[in-house]
Amino acid sequence: MKILKSSVLAISLLALSYGCNDKEFLNVQPTGALSDDQLNTAANIEKQVIATYSQLGNDVYRAPYTSLWPYGNVRAGDAYKGGNGTADVDAFHFYETFTFNRVDVGNTDELWFLIYIGISRANDALRRLETVDAAAMPNKAIRQGEMRFLRGHFYFMLKELFKRVPYIDEKVPTAEYATVSNVGLTNDELWTKIADDFRFAVANLPDTQPEIGRANKSAAQAYLAKTLLFQAYVQSDNNAVTSVDQAKLQEVVSLTNQVIASGKYSLHSDFATNFLTAGDNGVESVFAIQFSRNDGTPKGRTDRGNALNYPMNPDYGCCGFHQPSQNLVNAFKTDAQGLPQFETFNNSDLSAPADFQTNTVDPRLDHSVGIPSHPYKYSPSFIFETSWLRDQNTYGVYMSMKENVLPTDPSFQKTPPFMSSSKNWTIIRYADVLLWKAEALIELNRPAEALPIVNQIRQRAQNSTARLKTTSGANISNYRIGQYSAGVWNQAYARQALRFERRLEFALEGQRFFDLVRWGIAADYLNTYFEKEKTKRQHLKDARFTRGRDEYLPIPLNQINFSKGLYQQNPGW
């Protein structure tokens, strides 16, 4: 059961009008208003803290930031937009092709706005927390740590999406918001501000929390490690990676070691558990968004950000978005040793049912991708069919699965015309912590120390076939996955292996594009992807990634207008 539930601190303002000529009534204090003194109590501040947590999952299908699938997967070439052709939520088509993206796309503006609501709620809670004495609220410092953690999370998303954003904390008076520029801080200074929030959280959060869903010390250490890893790849004003900060990488290793040493986390023995309701808040979940249903609200507190991403069959009904690319499916092929085919995986396609038997594949393929003729979501009798596809001619035959649940799952809920569930969405998995450490070690030229970490991830994948069976008990596909050997494990090879491993392990979890930008390889990688993929998918015929521009979304034109020109547009837009 999810302990934290959606809660809004409702303030009703009653407007009364009277038919009289005496204008003195305008000076009467509104009887329904609450003063700050009335709101600044421990009980009401706790409600504002919960309201901030609720914003973690208050996204909508038009501007999803739960899984970040349109920005992290579709823009990375791991998925096509899907849906009913290119005009169906056309903003996602603009993101996918880059060429057609614009500064006035309303979905981008809504995304910016929704994330800033989270920041506003955190700032409001922090301002109110400053007004109460620790004697009246013994957990004051803990709640401050939680709010700094959540604010750091929201700013981290803005940073990886837009790069240059106005930084407003609880100390900035509302009257001064209009004076805060989105370029008042350098790229590095803005990363440091985000890191400072997580540092505060590390210093003030307990090792464990009495309520599931609240951030703890280890979650803050992990998010700080992630922030420093991104900051370590130093970017120029035009988004080129110019150097890698070795000191920050050292701190990443130290922080991930502390999370590992806490003993609270481990890899699930079966990869599947991460994507099942039964695995919510399990040993691999470092921090997750908590959803709920049957919680006293009309439609529950369910995952609306992924509401478009179910197949089009009678059990679901809508809407066929977020379809894995052929390139991603091909990436799961393995060689005779069970290792990825770094250079040749895309020379031929896995497409016909027989291809998944004549080729060997990483088991994580069938954990991630719905494939025609294969069981869907671990149900041997629930077979994925091409009739479930909405626009096969445009977007192919595959569907994403990690965010979805079976229609018989207790977390499943229809919110007509869309689907949703109360299954958690995990922001940080323990596998992430391990691979952040491995990446930092490789970039520190200590690849030998990273080898057992990467092999640990692969060993878990190798052991994760129990749920990947047909009704006869046979494996769905021809699985072969092996371990890397020390003989070839130099820095260059290890870097290639690590980057490929992150793609396979976190496929369709919203991370890939941001990894490509962080590593400074997005332009070359995606234009190579488009060159081949556009021969298979007509909707990509005009797709092109512009170096120095497309690493980030444009600052929404509405926001520039609202700022009266104070905000500066990102380069290239």
Side-chain angles (χ1 to χ4, degrees):
M1 178 179 289
K2 313 295 172 60
I3 303 300
L4 288 181
K5 296 187 177 165
S6 177
S7 175
V8 177
L9 188 61
I11 303 173
S12 299
L13 300 177
L14 305 179
L16 304 176
S17 60
Y18 300 90
C20 64
N21 295 323
D22 184 2
K23 295 182 181 180
E24 285 300 313
F25 78 90
L26 294 175
N27 296 322
V28 175
Q29 290 294 319
T31 59
L34 295 177
S35 69
D36 267 352
D37 287 342
Q38 291 171 299
L39 288 172
N40 292 343
T41 66
N44 283 332
I45 292 170
E46 289 284 8
K47 293 175 184 178
Q48 183 61 22
V49 167
I50 294 175
T52 309
Y53 273 102
S54 78
Q55 192 62 18
L56 288 171
N58 274 356
D59 49 347
V60 293
Y61 72 89
R62 304 178 303 273
Y65 58 79
T66 298
S67 67
L68 294 170
W69 69 266
Y71 331 103
N73 301 334
V74 171
R75 286 199 298 165
D78 275 7
Y80 312 128
K81 174 185 77 70
N84 189 25
T86 58
D88 192 5
V89 192
D90 58 3
F92 298 164
H93 177 65
F94 302 156
Y95 300 153
E96 181 176 4
T97 57
F98 294 97
T99 309
F100 303 115
N101 201 9
R102 306 190 311 268
V103 300
D104 61 348
V105 173
N107 306 64
T108 310
D109 183 51
E110 186 172 11
L111 176 66
W112 174 290
F113 172 73
L114 288 171
I115 297 175
Y116 265 109
I117 288 177
I119 292 167
S120 176
R121 290 187 181 187
N123 282 341
D124 186 74
L126 286 164
R127 276 192 294 268
R128 298 189 188 284
L129 280 161
E130 277 297 317
T131 68
V132 296
D133 189 88
M137 192 173 187
N139 57 2
K140 172 181 175 177
I142 293 174
R143 296 295 182 256
Q144 288 174 316
E146 291 177 52
M147 292 301 92
R148 295 284 294 268
F149 177 94
L150 294 185
R151 185 173 68 188
H153 165 72
F154 288 121
Y155 269 122
F156 187 99
M157 282 196 294
L158 284 170
K159 185 76 176 65
E160 64 181 357
L161 287 163
F162 296 100
K163 187 174 184 177
R164 309 194 304 175
V165 299
Y167 187 86
I168 298 169
D169 63 19
E170 78 280 12
K171 298 175 183 177
V172 179
T174 304
E176 294 181 13
Y177 283 5
T179 68
V180 181
S181 169
N182 69 319
V183 294
L185 299 174
T186 66
N187 184 59
D188 193 61
E189 287 170 344
L190 183 51
W191 276 128
T192 297
K193 285 284 190 182
I194 297 168
D196 286 345
D197 271 347
F198 292 123
R199 290 188 195 280
F200 182 93
V202 169
N204 289 276
L205 290 179
D207 291 333
T208 59
Q209 289 270 29
E211 294 173 299
I212 293 171
R214 292 190 186 273
N216 62 25
K217 185 184 190 75
S218 294
Q221 289 169 326
Y223 223 141
L224 177 57
K226 181 179 183 180
T227 302
L228 294 173
L229 185 61
F230 271 71
Q231 187 179 14
Y233 291 84
V234 179
Q235 284 189 2
S236 69
D237 290 342
N238 291 320
N239 310 329
V241 174
T242 58
S243 62
V244 182
D245 188 319
Q246 301 290 292
K248 287 185 173 57
L249 294 177
Q250 293 280 9
E251 192 170 359
V252 171
V253 173
S254 175
L255 287 161
T256 52
N257 279 340
Q258 291 174 64
V259 177
I260 294 166
S262 74
K264 293 197 291 285
Y265 308 103
S266 61
L267 297 177
H268 283 299
S269 59
D270 190 332
F271 185 67
T273 308
N274 289 296
F275 314 106
L276 295 170
T277 306
D280 282 358
N281 303 310
V283 294
E284 196 165 338
S285 178
V286 179
F287 186 73
I289 300 172
Q290 309 289 315
F291 292 107
S292 61
R293 66 188 296 265
N294 298 328
D295 56 8
T297 60
K299 294 184 179 179
R301 173 103 177 104
T302 56
D303 183 0
R304 309 296 168 79
N306 290 311
L308 300 177
N309 300 352
Y310 282 82
M312 295 280 289
N313 72 1
D315 299 280
Y316 296 121
C318 195
C319 285
F321 280 72
H322 196 205
Q323 294 192 234
S325 69
Q326 185 64 60
N327 184 287
L328 175 67
V329 172
N330 293 343
F332 285 94
K333 287 190 288 189
T334 59
D335 64 17
Q337 287 72 47
L339 298 177
Q341 301 177 22
F342 296 144
E343 307 297 337
T344 61
F345 74 89
N346 207 35
N347 288 354
S348 61
D349 290 344
L350 293 172
S351 55
D355 293 341
F356 298 90
Q357 296 299 328
T358 57
N359 294 272
T360 58
V361 297
D362 186 313
R364 287 172 290 190
L365 170 63
D366 281 306
H367 290 282
S368 308
V369 180
I371 300 170
S373 79
H374 291 206
Y376 185 79
K377 203 67 186 180
Y378 313 119
S379 178
S381 60
F382 194 47
I383 305 301
F384 189 96
E385 301 176 5
T386 54
S387 62
W388 297 11
L389 299 159
R390 191 172 184 185
D391 189 353
Q392 178 179 344
N393 289 334
T394 302
Y395 296 115
V397 299
Y398 306 114
M399 285 296 302
S400 176
M401 286 200 302
K402 285 181 174 178
E403 68 269 47
N404 297 341
V405 300
L406 288 171
T408 56
D409 192 273
S411 72
F412 180 67
Q413 181 165 308
K414 289 189 176 183
T415 54
F418 307 126
M419 311 299 114
S420 66
S421 82
S422 60
K423 178 167 69 75
N424 279 3
W425 184 260
T426 302
I427 301 298
I428 298 176
R429 287 203 276 123
Y430 185 62
D432 239 337
V433 175
L434 294 176
L435 289 180
W436 293 333
K437 178 182 177 181
E439 181 177 340
L441 288 168
I442 290 166
E443 295 305 323
L444 288 167
N445 201 18
R446 295 157 58 184
E449 297 174 61
L451 176 59
I453 300 174
V454 176
N455 278 340
Q456 180 182 356
I457 299 290
R458 294 184 63 78
Q459 182 68 54
R460 192 267 294 274
Q462 186 179 52
N463 295 336
S464 297
T465 60
R467 288 186 170 95
L468 305 180
K469 304 292 183 181
T470 66
T471 53
S472 68
N475 285 339
I476 299 171
S477 300
N478 184 10
Y479 304 124
R480 179 185 295 155
I481 181 169
Q483 311 293 299
Y484 291 106
S485 66
V488 296
W489 195 258
N490 57 37
Q491 186 185 39
Y493 184 89
R495 180 183 291 122
Q496 185 178 36
L498 180 283
R499 293 178 178 183
F500 214 93
E501 197 65 27
R502 282 196 60 82
R503 186 184 193 191
L504 302 178
E505 177 71 14
F506 300 107
L508 307 171
E509 294 183 46
Q511 302 194 40
R512 178 66 173 171
F513 181 78
F514 308 114
D515 283 345
L516 297 175
V517 172
R518 172 161 58 87
W519 297 326
I521 64 173
D524 291 338
Y525 177 91
L526 284 165
N527 284 325
T528 299
Y529 160 80
F530 288 136
E531 184 178 354
K532 184 75 174 281
E533 206 76 0
K534 68 177 56 177
T535 66
K536 306 169 187 179
R537 299 286 174 256
Q538 180 67 16
H539 76 282
L540 295 175
K541 65 183 177 66
D542 296 316
R544 184 181 66 257
F545 187 100
T546 299
R547 189 190 305 274
R549 183 193 75 169
D550 289 327
E551 290 86 359
Y552 296 93
L553 294 173
I555 307 302
L557 181 61
N558 270 349
Q559 300 302 322
I560 292 177
N561 290 339
F562 291 152
S563 77
K564 299 180 180 179
L566 177 65
Y567 295 172
Q568 294 183 27
Q569 186 54 268
N570 280 333
W573 293 98

